[in-house]
Amino acid sequence: MQTVQKTAILRATIRSWRAQGQSLAFVPTMGNLHDGHLSLVSKAHDCADRVVVSIFVNPTQFGPGEDYARYPRTLEADQVGLSGTECDVLFLPAVETMFPYGLEQTVRVKIPVLGDTLEGAYRVGHFDGVSTVLSKLFNLVQPDYAVFGEKDWQQLQIVRRLVADLSLPIEIMAEPTRREADGLALSSRNRFLNTVERARAPVMYATLCWMRDNYFSGHARAVVETAARARLQRAGFEIDYIVIRGATDLTEPEEHPRTGLIGLVAGHLGSTRLIDNLLFDA
Ligand code: AMP
C-alpha cells in the first residue's frame, strides 16, 4: 500500500491504472479506522480492481463547539490496519490541498431539504461540509464506485442525491453497520465513553429494535417515538431526535406504512454524541 499526500502523485497513479483498463473503488473516511471502515474496504475490493482509501478530518463538516479538535487522529494505527487489506493507495490530503482558497472562500455544495432535516437540523451546515468535501474528493479520485456505511444513513442518502443531481458517473455502494456483540454500532467516538456510559450505550440500538417491534405490532408512530425517547432518557441519554421516517427521503410517513421505513436516533451520553439507525423490515 502506497501513502500519497500530493494530488499530482494521486492523479498519476490513477492514470497509470486507467491506462491498463483497471476499475477503481473509493472509500472516504476520517480515520481512526475500525472494523466498520475495513468492511467498506473489503466491499470496495469486491467491486473494482483498485482501491483508494482517503483519511481526511474535514473541518467544514464540524460546527462551532463540535469535536473537530479532539476528533481521534491515529494515522500510524490506521496505516497498520489498512496494510492488512486490499487498499492500494491511502490518500492523506492536507487541509490546504482540499481548501486552497481557505475555508471561508471555498465553493460550497448544498443539498436543501434532505440536508436540513434530522442531523442537518442539529448540526447546521454539517451536510454542506460533507457534500463539499466529497465533491472535491470525487473529482480528485474519479472512482467508478464509492463505498459508504449505512451507519451514517442520512449521509448515505445525501451522497446518493449528490451523485444523481450532479450527474457524477459514480456508483454508490452501501455496507451494513458493524456492531459490537452487545449491539453498539462501531464508531470512532465510542472511545470517548467512560465505563458507565459504555455500559449504557447499547440501549440505543436496543431501543431502535424495540421501536420497530412496537410499530409493527400496531402502535401509532408518534406514540412509539415518544415512548422510545423516554426509554433512552431513563437510560441517561440526552436525545436530539428519535424518529421513524421514510427510508429514502427521510420525510414523516403518512398513515401506517409497513415498508420503506427507518428508525433514526441521535443522542448524547455525557459529552459524546452517538447516532444509529435501523431499517424496519416487516
Ligand atoms: P467516518 O470515518 O466516521 O467518516 O466514516 C467513514 C465511513 O465509514 C462512512 O461511510 C461511515 O458510514 C462508515 N462507517 C462508520 N462506522 C461504521 C460502522 N459501524 N459500520 C459500517 N460502516 C461504518
Side-chain angles (χ1 to χ4, degrees), residues 2-278:
Q2 195 188 345
T3 298
V4 172
Q5 288 174 306
K6 301 285 176 225
T7 58
I9 297 174
L10 176 77
R11 285 192 191 280
T13 306
I14 292 171
R15 250 197 322 273
S16 74
W17 295 339
R18 293 299 195 188
Q20 298 167 56
Q22 294 178 335
S23 58
L24 170 54
F26 176 43
V27 183
T29 82
M30 297 204 300
N32 192 233
L33 303 180
H34 50 62
D35 283 352
H37 296 110
L38 299 185
S39 73
L40 308 188
V41 178
S42 172
K43 175 71 174 185
H45 178 65
D46 292 344
C47 294
D49 301 313
R50 295 290 186 169
V51 176
V52 173
V53 176
S54 64
I55 295 181
F56 180 64
V57 185
N58 168 28
T60 64
Q61 70 185 70
F62 291 81
E66 290 189 356
D67 54 357
Y68 176 66
R70 77 163 186 163
Y71 197 85
R73 290 159 172 87
T74 53
L75 179 57
E76 276 181 27
D78 292 348
Q79 283 175 311
V80 171
L82 282 174
S83 65
T85 73
E86 299 85 357
C87 174
D88 293 292
V89 164
L90 169 60
F91 180 45
L92 286 179
V95 172
E96 303 74 47
T97 305
M98 296 306 295
F99 299 101
Y101 300 97
L103 299 181
E104 295 304 317
Q105 293 193 45
T106 185
V107 168
R108 284 190 183 259
V109 181
K110 179 175 175 58
I111 300 185
V113 184
L114 186 58
D116 296 331
T117 187
L118 300 174
E119 282 299 283
Y122 283 89
R123 304 183 66 188
V124 174
H126 169 68
F127 287 121
D128 300 354
V130 170
S131 309
T132 298
V133 85
L134 284 176
S135 301
K136 289 164 172 274
L137 287 168
F138 286 164
N139 278 325
L140 286 166
V141 178
Q142 299 189 358
D144 302 291
Y145 304 90
V147 190
F148 291 84
E150 291 181 352
K151 159 76 168 39
D152 299 278
W153 183 265
Q154 189 174 2
Q155 171 175 278
L156 176 62
Q157 306 316 311
I158 289 276
V159 177
R160 290 193 192 284
R161 180 73 66 84
L162 174 77
V163 164
D165 206 357
L166 293 183
S167 309
L168 302 180
I170 303 172
E171 193 168 334
I172 302 302
M173 312 300 291
E175 273 295 287
T177 302
R178 292 293 172 106
R179 300 180 179 281
E180 303 283 4
D182 60 13
L184 176 65
L186 299 187
S187 166
S188 305
R189 292 188 168 99
N190 292 351
R191 60 163 50 202
F192 296 132
L193 298 169
N194 66 29
T195 314
V196 173
E197 291 161 352
R198 176 63 189 82
R200 292 175 170 176
V203 179
M204 187 173 244
Y205 180 61
T207 300
L208 285 168
C209 296
W210 179 90
M211 195 159 75
R212 173 200 56 198
D213 295 345
N214 274 271
Y215 179 83
F216 282 138
S217 71
H219 296 288
R221 182 171 59 83
V223 172
V224 176
E225 289 173 351
T226 305
R229 174 181 287 262
R231 200 181 139 108
L232 279 173
Q233 284 167 337
R234 279 197 301 277
F237 284 82
E238 193 184 311
I239 297 301
D240 285 347
Y241 58 83
I242 178 155
V243 293
I244 300 168
R245 293 285 175 97
T248 308
D249 62 10
L250 304 181
T251 57
E252 293 185 19
E254 289 169 14
E255 307 293 329
H256 197 91
R258 296 189 67 80
T259 56
L261 294 176
I262 188 161
L264 299 134
V265 59
H268 301 256
L269 264 182
S271 60
T272 307
R273 188 171 184 276
L274 300 176
I275 62 171
D276 203 350
N277 64 77
L278 178 70

